[in-house]
C-alpha cells in the first residue's frame, strides 16, 4: 500500500514537473509579445484566410469548402512540424540539466511535444469557430477526430526521439530537417486535391504517413463518413511503429548522448 | 575566357548535329502505302476493285504486308498473294521502288465496310544487310455499301455478344444499370436525336469514339444501347473520364436535356464547386443545341447568371474579410488594454515600493532565526550543536565530538551508504573535432579520424558510511565532477559499479533550470519541480523560500533583471528549502556568491549536514573541506591517491603543490 502510494506520488510529481516545463516553453515562446497565447488562435485563422483567398479560385472545381479542407490539413501539419522541430534541440538546449537532475531525458523531449499539443489545443478554438462559420454539418463521426490527434502525437514523439539523438551528434541535421519538412509538406496534399496531381505523386501522397492523419480527419469532420480500414491501418501502424522505433533508438543511445553533450 | 567560348561553340555544334541527324534518319528508307478505289459508294452484291500502292524512295526488296477488310460485308475474290485469317497477304520480292496490287472484293451486305493495311515488313532491295524500311500508311478505305445491313447482327454478336442491328463500337459498364453498348456514331445516329447536332471525334479511355456534339461544341453526347435495344443518352465529361446520363425535362417551357455540370469542360469564371453542390447546378441543353447552367432549387429550374456567382463569391470573400478585420480589432484591443493596465500598475507599484522600503531593513534579521525552526524533527542532535561561529579549530573539535556522540547512540552501521567499487570511466574521444557531417566525412576520408581512450577515472574504490561528510579534492581535470555524476546516476561507468540508494539522494546545484524570461515566482515552481518537489510542497514553503532569499519585493519580476547575487540566493533557497535528504551531494555549492551569501549558505548547509545526512562534497576551498569534512578522498588524474583524515590528506595535497 505504501509503495503504491509512493508510486502515485512520484507520478504526480512527474506530471507536475512536466507541466512546469511545458508552461516554461509556452511562456518563453510568447515572452516579448503582448498578445501571447491569442496568436495561437489568430495565426491559423489568418493563414487560412490568406490561403483561401489565393487558392479557392484555382481549385474551385475540385475542392468543396476549401477553407475547412485547408485548415484541417494545416493544423495537423503545424502540430507535427512544430513538435518535431522544437524537440530536436531539446537535449542540447537543456544540457546543464541533463547531468544534474533526476528527471529522465525523455521528459525534455516530451515537454516540447506537449507544448505543441497545447498549441494545437488553442488552434482547435479557431477551428471549431470556422466549422460553425462555414456551416459544416455536425455528425457523430466528428468524435473520431481525437483519434487522429492521438496517433499523430505518438508518431511525432517517435520522430522527435530520433531527431533529438541525431542532433546531439550532428548539428547539421537541423538544416537538413527544415528542407525535409518543406518537401514533406508539399507532399501532404494540404492545399491541393490529391486527384489533381500525376499518378506517381498520388502514390507518394498516399504513402505519406502525415497524409493518412489528414485524410482521416477530413473524412470524419468534413464528409461525415467513417474512414476506410486502410486509413485506420496506416494511421495506427505509423503511429505505434514510429513511437516504438524512436523509443528504442533513444534508449540505446542515451548513454552515448551523455558523453557527447 | 577563350576556353569558355570554345566549349560553348562545341556544345552548340553538337546539338545541331544531333537534331539534323535525327531528322534525316526519319525521312530515309520509307515506304508509303496508299489504298485507293474508284467508287466509295457502291451497291450490294457488286464487285469492286481496290488498288494498293507501295511507293518507296529506295529499292524494295523482300516485302510482306497484310490488308485487313470487313469480313462481314465483303468477300475476297482475288488479286493478292494469299488469304490468311481474314486478311489478304501481299508478299514477295520487289524490283524497283514501286509495287502495285489490284484486289477484287464482292460486297455481300449493306453498311459501312473498312479496308486498311496492317503489319508491314518491307526490306531494302539489293542491300547486303537486308535492312528494314520504315512504313507509313497513308490512308484507309471506308466503303458505303447501299442496301440493308444484314451483316450487322452477326458482327455485333461476334464482337459484343449481343444481337443488335445498329453499328456498335464499344462497351461500357455503368454503375447501377449494367452493361451498355456504345453506338458507332460515325455510321449511325438514332432518331431520338432531334436537336441540331454535329459529330466530332474524341478520346475516351483508351479508344477514340465519334461523339455527337452541338454547334458550339461544348458538350459531347453518346447514345448507348442496352441489351434490349433501348437507347440512352449520355454526356461525356472529359476531365472526369466519365459518362453522365442526360434526363429529358421541361426547362423554361422547352423540352431540354439536363446533365451534370461536370460535362462542361470550362466553367464560367465565377462558378465554384461549393455553389454547384449547394444549389444543384446542372448543365442544360435545349432543342437548338444551346447550353447553359441552371440552378435546380425547389423543383424549379432557374437560369444561373454571373451575378449569382459573383454574389456567392463575394459572400465567401466577405467572410475572409470579416476574419481579417476581427483579427486586427483583437490585436488593437489587446495591445491597448495592455498599455493601460501597465500604466496603472506602474503607479501602484511606485506607491508600494515607497511603503516597502521603510520596512525593508527589518526583514533580513528574521531569516536566520526562521531557518533554525525548520529542523524541528531531528531535535536531539541539533540541540547539541551551536550555531557554528567562525574559526576552524573550534569547529573541528565541535564536529568530531558530536559525531562520536551520534555514533554511540546508534548501532554501528556496517554497510556503507555509498559504495564505489572499481569504477573506471573511459571516454572515447576522437582526436579530431568534427562539428558537422561535412568535416566528419572529410576527415574520415583523409583518415584523420582516430580515437583515443581517455581515462577519466581509473579503478577508483572507496566507501562512505552513514553520517560521514566526505570531501573530494584533486587538481582540475582529475575526475571529481565525473565521479559525482557517476554516483548521482547521470552517467554510467564503463567498468565497476556504484551502490547507492538513489531515491534518498539529493544533488545540490545552483540555478539549474532558471529561465531568464520567467519571473522569480514562476522559476521557483519550475526549479522546484525539476528538483523533485511536489506542487503542494512548494505552495507551503513558498513564502519561506522568498524570505530566505530576501526577494520579497521582486517575486513577480523577471529573473533577467536580477543581479547575480540575487540569482544565487534564489537558487540556493529553492535547493535547500527541503528537509535534507539522507544523502547529499554538494557540487561546488559553497564557492558561490559574495561574503554575506557565503556565510549564509555555509550556515544552512551545516544545518543540513548536522541533520544526520551523509554528505559527499566537492570543493576547491581547502578551508571549507577542513572545516566540515570527516573524511577526504583525493583523486589525482583519475586515480585514487589517498583516503583518510582531512588534515592528513590535505597536508599531503599541499606538499604536492609546494613541490610544484
Amino acid at each position: 500500500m505504501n509503495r503504491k502510494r509512493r508510486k502515485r506520488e512520484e507520478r504526480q510529481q512527474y506530471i507536475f514537473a512536466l507541466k512546469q516545463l511545458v508552461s516554461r516553453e509556452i511562456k518563453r515562446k510568447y515572452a516579448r509579445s503582448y498578445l501571447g497565447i491569442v496568436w495561437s488562435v489568430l495565426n491559423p485563422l489568418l493563414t487560412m484566410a490568406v490561403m483561401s483567398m489565393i487558392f479557392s479560385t484555382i481549385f474551385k472545381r475540385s475542392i468543396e469548402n476549401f477553407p475547412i479542407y485547408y485548415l484541417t490539413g494545416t493544423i495537423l501539419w503545424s502540430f507535427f512540424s512544430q513538435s518535431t522541430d522544437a524537440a530536436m534541440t531539446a537535449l542540447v538546449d537543456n544540457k546543464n540539466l541533463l547531468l544534474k537532475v533526476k528527471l529522465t531525458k525523455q521528459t525534455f523531449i516530451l515537454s516540447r511535444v506537449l507544448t505543441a499539443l497545447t498549441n494545437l489545443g488553442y488552434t482547435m478554438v479557431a477551428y471549431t469557430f470556422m466549422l460553425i462559420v462555414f456551416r459544416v454539418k455536425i455528425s457523430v463521426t466528428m468524435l473520431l477526430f481525437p483519434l487522429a490527434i492521438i496517433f499523430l502525437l505518438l508518431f511525432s514523439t517517435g520522430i522527435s526521439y530520433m531527431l533529438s539523438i541525431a542532433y546531439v551528434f550532428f548539428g547539421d541535421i537541423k538544416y537538413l530537417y527544415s528542407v525535409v519538412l518543406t518537401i514533406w509538406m508539399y507532399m501532404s496534399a494540404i492545399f491541393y486535391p490529391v486527384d489533381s496531381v500525376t499518378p506517381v505523386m498520388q502514390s507518394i501522397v498516399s504513402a505519406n504517413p502525415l497524409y493518412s492523419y489528414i485524410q482521416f480527419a477530413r473524412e470524419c469532420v468534413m464528409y461525415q463518413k467513417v474512414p476506410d480500414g486502410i486509413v485506420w491501418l496506416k494511421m495506427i501502424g505509423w503511429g505505434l511503429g514510429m513511437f516504438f522505433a524512436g523509443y528504442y533508438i533513444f534508449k540505446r543511445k542515451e548513454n552515448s548522448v551523455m558523453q557527447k553533450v | 575566357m577563350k576556353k569558355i567560348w570554345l566549349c560553348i561553340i562545341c556544345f552548340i555544334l553538337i546539338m545541331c548535329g544531333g537534331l539534323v541527324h535525327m531528322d534525316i534518319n526519319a525521312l530515309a528508307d520509307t515506304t508509303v502505302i496508299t489504298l485507293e478505289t474508284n467508287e466509295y459508294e457502291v451497291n450490294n452484291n457488286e464487285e469492286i476493285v481496290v488498288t494498293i500502292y507501295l511507293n518507296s524512295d529506295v529499292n524494295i526488296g523482300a516485302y510482306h504486308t497484310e490488308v485487313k477488310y470487313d469480313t462481314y460485308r465483303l468477300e475476297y475474290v482475288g488479286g493478292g498473294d494469299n488469304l490468311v485469317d481474314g486478311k489478304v497477304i501481299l508478299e514477295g520480292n520487289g524490283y524497283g521502288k514501286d509495287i502495285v496490287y489490284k484486289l477484287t472484293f464482292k460486297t455481300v451486305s449493306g453498311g459501312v465496310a473498312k479496308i486498311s493495311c496492317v503489319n508491314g515488313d518491307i526490306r531494302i532491295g539489293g542491300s547486303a544487310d537486308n535492312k528494314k524500311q520504315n512504313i507509313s500508311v497513308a490512308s484507309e478505305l471506308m466503303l458505303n455499301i447501299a442496301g440493308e445491313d444484314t451483316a450487322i447482327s452477326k458482327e455485333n454478336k461476334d464482337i459484343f455478344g449481343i444481337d443488335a442491328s445498329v453499328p456498335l463500337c464499344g462497351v461500357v459498364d455503368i454503375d447501377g444499370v449494367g452493361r451498355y453498348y456504345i453506338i458507332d456514331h460515325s455510321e449511325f445516329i438514332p432518331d431520338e436525336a432531334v436537336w441540331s447536332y454535329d459529330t466530332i471525334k474524341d478520346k475516351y479511355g483508351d479508344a477514340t469514339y465519334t461523339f455527337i456534339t452541338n454547334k458550339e461544341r461544348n458538350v459531347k453526347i453518346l447514345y448507348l444501347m442496352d441489351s434490349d435495344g433501348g437507347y440512352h443518352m449520355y454526356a461525356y465529361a472529359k476531365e472526369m473520364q466519365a459518362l453522365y446520363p442526360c434526363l429529358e425535362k421541361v426547362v423554361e417551357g422547352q423540352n431540354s436535356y439536363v446533365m451534370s455540370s461536370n460535362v462542361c469542360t470550362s466553367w464560367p469564371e465565377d462558378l465554384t464547386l461549393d455553389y454547384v453542390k449547394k444549389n444543384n447546378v446542372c448543365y442544360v441543353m435545349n432543342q437548338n443545341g444551346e447550353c447553359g447552367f441552371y440552378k435546380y432549387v425547389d423543383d424549379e429550374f432557374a437560369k444561373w447568371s454571373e451575378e449569382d456567382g459573383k454574389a456567392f463569391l463575394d459572400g465567401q470573400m466577405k467572410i475572409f474579410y470579416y476574419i481579417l478585420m476581427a483579427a486586427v480589432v483583437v490585436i488593437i484591443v489587446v495591445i491597448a488594454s495592455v498599455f493601460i493596465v501597465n500604466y496603472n500598475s506602474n503607479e501602484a507599484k511606485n506607491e508600494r515600493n515607497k511603503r516597502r522600503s521603510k520596512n525593508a531593513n527589518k526583514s533580513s534579521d528574521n531569516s536566520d532565526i526562521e531557518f533554525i525552526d525548520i529542523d524541528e524533527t531531528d531535535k536531539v542532535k541539533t540541540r547539541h550543536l551551536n550555531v557554528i561561529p567562525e574559526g576552524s579549530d573550534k569547529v573541528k573539535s565541535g564536529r568530531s565530538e558530536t559525531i562520536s556522540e551520534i555514533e554511540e547512540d546508534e548501532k554501528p552501521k556496517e554497510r556503507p551508504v555509498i559504495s564505489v567499487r572499481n569504477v573506471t570511466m573511459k571516454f572515447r574521444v576522437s582526436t579530431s573535432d568534427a562539428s558537422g557531417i561535412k568535416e566528419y566525412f572529410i576527415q574520415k576520408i583523409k583518415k584523420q579520424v582516430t580515437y583515443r581512450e581517455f581515462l577519466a577515472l581509473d579503478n577508483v574504490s572507496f566507501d562512505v558510511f552513514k553520517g560521514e561528510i566526505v570531501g573530494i579534492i584533486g587538481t582540475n581535470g582529475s575526475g571529481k565532477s565525473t565521479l559525482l555524476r557517476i554516483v548521482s546516476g547521470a552517467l554510467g561507468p564503463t567498468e565497476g559499479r556504484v551502490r547507492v540508494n538513489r531515491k534518498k539522494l539529493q544533488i545540490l546545484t545552483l540555478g539549474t533550470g532558471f529561465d531568464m524570461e520567467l519571473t522569480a515566482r514562476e522559476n521557483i515552481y519550475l526549479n522546484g519541480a525539476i528538483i523533485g518537489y511536489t506542487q503542494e510542497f512548494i505552495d507551503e514553503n513558498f513564502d519561506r523560500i522568498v524570505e530566505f532569499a530576501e526577494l520579497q519585493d521582486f517575486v513577480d519580476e523577471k529573473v533577467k533583471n536580477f543581479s547575480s547575487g540575487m540569482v544565487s540566493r534564489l537558487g540556493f533557497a529553492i535547493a535547500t528549502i527541503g528537509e535534507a535528504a539522507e544523502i547529499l551531494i554538494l557540487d561546488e555549492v559553497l564557492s558561490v556568491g559574495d561574503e554575506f551569501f557565503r556565510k549564509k549558505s555555509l550556515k544552512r548547509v551545516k544545518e543540513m549536514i548536522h541533520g544526520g545526512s551523509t554528505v559527499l562534497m566537492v570543493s576547491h576551498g581547502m578551508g571549507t573541506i577542513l572545516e566540515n569534512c570527516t573524511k577526504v578522498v583525493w583523486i589525482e588524474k583519475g586515480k585514487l591517491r589517498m583516503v583518510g583524515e582531512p588534515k592528513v590528506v590535505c597536508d599531503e595535497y599541499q606538499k604536492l603543490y609546494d613541490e610544484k
Side-chain angles (χ1 to χ4, degrees):
Chain A
M1 185 55 202
N2 216 5
R3 198 192 284 173
K4 248 200 216 169
R5 214 200 346 163
R6 217 187 308 139
K7 278 245 155 153
R8 197 174 12 117
E9 281 174 7
E10 276 176 22
R11 211 181 317 135
Q12 275 182 347
Q13 202 279 328
Y14 181 75
I15 294 176
F16 171 56
L18 204 58
K19 267 204 274 186
Q20 283 294 315
L21 282 173
V22 170
S23 98
R24 164 180 82 159
E25 295 292 334
I26 295 183
K27 284 183 195 141
R28 192 195 272 166
K29 183 171 176 184
Y30 293 119
R32 272 182 247 267
S33 86
Y34 285 116
L35 283 149
I37 286 293
V38 180
W39 275 120
S40 293
V41 178
L42 277 185
N43 195 24
L45 276 186
L46 289 175
T47 50
M48 178 216 75
V50 169
M51 290 296 267
S52 299
M53 287 201 273
I54 299 173
F55 281 107
S56 52
T57 43
I58 300 179
F59 293 116
K60 64 182 178 183
R61 286 200 62 168
S62 24
I63 303 186
E64 191 188 349
N65 216 340
F66 186 82
I68 302 293
Y69 181 86
Y70 175 74
L71 203 56
T72 317
T74 213
I75 60 175
L76 290 178
W77 171 260
S78 299
F79 165 64
F80 171 70
S81 70
Q82 278 175 17
S83 62
T84 49
D85 203 49
M88 181 163 55
T89 58
L91 288 179
V92 174
D93 287 345
N94 289 306
K95 62 178 160 195
N96 307 325
L97 294 180
L98 284 182
L99 296 168
K100 296 182 183 172
V101 153
K102 278 191 229 173
L103 288 173
T104 57
K105 300 181 198 58
Q106 282 103 307
T107 318
F108 296 103
I109 296 170
L110 273 180
S111 73
R112 299 236 170 143
V113 174
L114 289 178
T115 312
L117 187 67
T118 319
N119 251 329
L120 177 67
Y122 289 117
T123 61
M124 288 301 287
V125 174
Y127 186 61
T128 322
F129 180 61
M130 281 295 114
L131 286 180
I132 298 174
V133 166
F134 284 101
R135 282 180 239 138
V136 177
K137 267 195 279 194
I138 303 181
S139 81
V140 192
T141 51
M142 281 189 183
L143 291 175
L144 291 174
F145 184 67
L147 283 177
I149 299 184
I150 292 173
F151 285 104
L152 184 57
L153 178 66
L154 286 175
F155 183 74
S156 311
T157 314
I159 295 213
S160 302
Y161 282 147
M162 291 192 237
L163 283 176
S164 63
I165 298 272
Y167 184 65
V168 170
F169 296 104
F170 288 118
D172 302 290
I173 213 156
K174 191 168 168 56
Y175 305 105
L176 257 180
Y177 190 62
S178 74
V179 176
V180 167
L181 273 183
T182 312
I183 303 176
W184 203 334
M185 181 192 81
Y186 281 110
M187 299 206 292
S188 304
I190 297 179
F191 58 89
Y192 57 85
V194 187
D195 305 321
S196 69
V197 290
T198 61
V200 180
M201 270 295 282
Q202 283 190 31
S203 52
I204 295 179
V205 172
S206 67
N208 178 4
L210 252 292
Y211 180 67
S212 62
Y213 297 106
I214 296 179
Q215 188 183 9
F216 189 91
R218 280 187 186 141
E219 285 187 4
C220 58
V221 173
M222 284 176 67
Y223 308 130
Q224 293 103 30
K225 70 174 216 187
V226 179
D228 293 330
I230 297 187
V231 186
W232 282 88
L233 198 67
K234 278 199 258 179
M235 181 175 84
I236 298 177
W238 275 112
L240 291 175
M242 201 48 95
F243 178 71
F244 286 121
Y247 190 73
Y248 173 71
I249 293 180
F250 193 84
K251 276 295 186 191
R252 276 197 58 177
K253 285 287 184 177
E254 247 188 328
N255 277 322
S256 6
V257 164
M258 293 304 290
Q259 295 187 15
K260 181 82 193 237
V261 87
Chain B
M1 270 306 281
K2 266 199 189 160
K3 265 196 180 171
I4 297 179
W5 276 116
L6 231 97
C7 290
I8 294 178
I9 292 173
C10 282
F11 183 69
I12 294 178
L13 282 176
I14 292 173
M15 292 300 282
C16 291
L19 288 171
V20 168
H21 193 241
M22 282 189 337
D23 267 341
I24 290 179
N25 254 345
L27 295 175
D29 307 338
T30 311
T31 304
V32 180
I33 303 180
T34 324
L35 289 87
E36 275 183 16
T37 184
N38 286 332
E39 287 181 26
Y40 288 88
E41 312 278 341
V42 294
N43 289 320
N44 203 350
N45 268 320
E46 258 187 25
E47 280 200 0
I48 53 157
V49 174
V50 173
T51 320
I52 304 184
Y53 295 93
L54 281 75
N55 304 105
S56 175
D57 52 337
V58 292
N59 284 331
I60 297 180
Y63 66 89
H64 171 105
T65 71
E66 293 167 9
V67 177
K68 202 164 121 186
Y69 67 94
D70 188 340
T71 45
Y72 297 96
R73 294 182 183 81
L74 298 172
E75 217 179 77
Y76 172 63
V77 176
D81 294 313
N82 219 339
L83 178 66
V84 171
D85 266 347
K87 292 196 271 233
V88 180
I89 313 281
L90 312 174
E91 60 186 352
N93 275 307
Y95 48 91
K97 298 187 184 171
D98 303 296
I99 302 182
V100 181
Y101 273 88
K102 284 197 191 297
L103 302 178
T104 317
F105 292 93
K106 181 161 171 224
T107 57
V108 291
S109 163
V112 177
K114 190 161 97 164
I115 306 176
S116 60
C117 204
V118 298
N119 281 351
D121 183 337
I122 304 180
R123 304 292 167 125
I124 301 179
S127 71
D129 51 358
N130 218 10
K131 246 176 56 172
K132 256 193 179 179
Q133 290 198 30
N134 300 321
I135 299 179
S136 153
V137 177
S139 57
E140 60 182 24
L141 288 185
M142 302 280 277
L143 296 172
N144 283 322
I145 310 173
E148 196 194 324
D149 192 342
T150 48
I152 188 127
S153 304
K154 187 162 186 301
E155 184 183 16
N156 281 337
K157 198 152 204 174
D158 288 343
I159 302 178
F160 299 108
I162 181 171
D163 202 347
S165 51
V166 291
L168 305 171
C169 57
V171 289
V172 62
D173 290 310
I174 307 256
D175 284 337
V177 202
R179 172 159 279 200
Y180 279 6
Y181 303 90
I182 304 177
I183 298 177
D184 191 348
H185 289 306
S186 57
E187 299 179 21
F188 173 74
I189 294 179
D191 299 327
E192 267 86 344
V194 294
W195 39 280
S196 345
Y197 58 78
D198 214 343
T199 58
I200 187 171
K201 275 194 162 69
D202 203 351
K203 215 162 170 239
Y204 169 40
D206 295 325
T208 312
Y209 298 97
T210 311
F211 293 85
I212 312 177
T213 182
N214 63 351
K215 264 194 232 110
E216 280 110 44
R217 315 238 158 172
N218 39 17
V219 62
K220 296 192 177 71
I221 309 280
L222 272 186
Y223 277 92
L224 304 180
M225 192 184 83
D226 61 34
S227 1
D228 300 319
Y231 297 132
H232 304 268
M233 186 174 162
Y234 274 76
Y236 175 51
K238 188 156 186 175
E239 256 181 34
M240 310 275 156
Q241 283 287 303
L243 294 173
Y244 292 93
C246 303
L247 303 170
E248 276 192 48
K249 294 237 182 230
V250 177
V251 174
E252 283 182 351
Q254 279 196 32
N255 278 336
S256 310
Y257 305 97
V258 175
M259 47 199 112
S260 158
S261 300
N262 291 326
V263 161
C264 178
T265 43
S266 60
W267 288 6
E269 187 66 43
D270 302 313
L271 190 63
T272 62
L273 188 63
D274 291 326
Y275 188 86
V276 166
K277 286 231 164 132
K278 223 192 230 166
N279 295 312
N280 289 328
V281 172
C282 41
Y283 202 53
V284 176
M285 182 176 75
N286 65 4
Q287 302 288 356
N288 296 328
E290 289 156 358
C291 296
F293 285 98
Y294 281 76
K295 296 186 281 197
Y296 186 62
V297 182
D298 297 330
D299 287 339
E300 283 262 325
F301 281 100
K303 192 159 171 64
W304 176 86
S305 62
E306 296 204 337
E307 283 81 43
D308 291 331
K310 278 209 174 66
F312 184 75
L313 273 182
D314 282 344
Q316 287 223 315
M317 283 294 161
K318 263 205 204 137
I319 296 180
F320 299 138
Y321 286 137
Y322 285 150
I323 292 174
L324 285 175
M325 292 286 287
V328 170
V329 167
V330 167
I331 293 171
I332 294 178
V333 164
V334 170
I335 293 185
S337 56
V338 164
F339 269 117
I340 295 174
V341 168
N342 259 344
Y343 185 68
N344 278 340
S345 74
N346 268 337
E347 292 197 339
K349 225 189 218 180
N350 288 335
E351 298 256 350
R352 251 188 291 136
N353 281 342
K354 282 189 210 149
R355 263 184 273 132
R356 274 274 177 85
S357 56
K358 291 181 198 162
N359 301 329
N361 297 327
K362 294 187 192 164
S363 54
S364 47
D365 298 330
N366 296 332
S367 48
D368 298 331
I369 307 171
E370 293 246 14
F371 254 78
I372 297 183
D373 285 340
I374 291 176
D375 290 330
E376 264 167 47
T377 45
D378 266 331
K379 289 323 135 221
V380 180
K381 297 177 190 145
T382 46
R383 286 210 195 106
H384 285 304
L385 306 166
N386 308 322
V387 171
I388 306 203
E390 308 297 324
S392 48
D393 283 313
K394 236 192 187 168
V395 170
K396 220 174 37 149
S397 50
R399 233 10 228 112
S400 36
E401 276 171 24
T402 43
I403 286 289
S404 46
E405 272 183 73
I406 294 169
E407 279 176 349
E408 279 163 23
D409 291 346
E410 304 168 326
K411 290 201 190 104
K413 290 247 161 117
E414 285 162 351
R415 260 244 216 105
V417 169
I418 304 176
S419 165
V420 178
R421 286 266 166 280
N422 306 106
V423 164
T424 305
M425 188 72 211
K426 290 184 192 154
F427 286 114
R428 196 159 165 251
V429 176
S430 70
T431 49
S432 70
D433 188 18
S435 58
I437 297 181
K438 182 189 93 176
E439 283 166 26
Y440 181 75
F441 275 123
I442 291 177
Q443 289 181 359
K444 203 153 196 162
I445 294 173
K446 285 191 188 172
K447 297 224 198 309
Q448 279 175 4
V449 176
T450 52
Y451 296 93
R452 64 185 172 95
E453 275 196 343
F454 171 57
L455 224 51
L457 291 172
D458 192 1
N459 205 3
V460 173
S461 304
F462 62 90
D463 287 328
V464 176
F465 294 91
K466 184 163 167 63
E468 283 189 333
I469 299 156
V470 178
I472 303 184
I473 59 172
T475 51
N476 281 337
S478 297
K480 305 190 294 293
S481 292
T482 314
L483 184 62
L484 278 193
R485 287 175 193 167
I486 292 178
V487 171
S488 71
L491 213 52
T494 327
E495 288 168 22
R497 66 192 177 92
V498 173
R499 267 189 59 232
V500 64
N501 188 347
R502 295 240 160 76
K503 292 220 170 75
K504 299 187 182 163
L505 193 68
Q506 188 186 345
I507 313 167
L508 276 194
T509 47
L510 296 183
T512 44
F514 265 38
D515 194 311
M516 293 295 141
E517 291 289 339
L518 301 181
T519 64
R521 178 189 300 271
E522 289 162 351
N523 265 308
I524 289 176
Y525 277 93
L526 177 65
N527 211 344
I530 291 178
I531 291 179
Y533 300 149
T534 60
Q535 183 157 13
E536 296 80 31
F537 183 81
I538 301 181
D539 288 335
E540 284 164 22
N541 292 293
F542 187 82
D543 294 324
R544 280 221 191 107
I545 296 174
V546 172
E547 284 189 51
F548 184 80
E550 294 165 38
L551 295 171
Q552 294 91 332
D553 298 333
F554 303 99
V555 178
D556 289 304
E557 189 67 38
K558 286 199 178 174
V559 170
K560 64 181 174 183
N561 297 325
F562 284 9
S563 70
S564 61
M566 293 159 83
V567 174
S568 332
R569 291 211 301 268
L570 185 59
F572 191 81
I574 300 173
T576 56
I577 193 69
E579 290 156 25
E582 285 187 35
I583 308 171
L584 270 179
I585 297 187
L586 307 179
D587 191 356
E588 309 269 7
V589 159
L590 298 172
S591 19
V592 176
D594 61 358
E595 180 70 39
F596 187 68
F597 177 71
R598 284 203 200 177
K599 262 205 285 177
K600 211 174 180 174
S601 54
L602 192 60
K603 206 179 285 186
R604 175 60 187 141
V605 168
K606 281 177 184 169
E607 283 161 13
M608 296 176 90
I609 290 174
H610 298 328
S613 322
T614 315
V615 178
L616 196 60
M617 58 192 268
V618 167
S619 185
H620 280 296
M622 275 302 137
T624 331
I625 300 272
L626 285 171
E627 270 183 38
N628 295 294
C629 297
T630 59
K631 183 156 96 179
V632 170
V633 173
W634 180 10
I635 310 254
E636 190 62 32
K637 299 285 182 254
K639 292 197 172 51
L640 181 64
R641 189 74 174 251
M642 207 184 206
V643 177
E645 281 273 320
K647 192 92 175 53
V648 176
V649 181
C650 288
D651 281 346
E652 285 295 311
Y653 188 70
Q654 274 303 113
K655 274 195 210 152
L656 185 73
Y657 257 127
D658 295 338
E659 276 168 24
K660 284 190 179 165

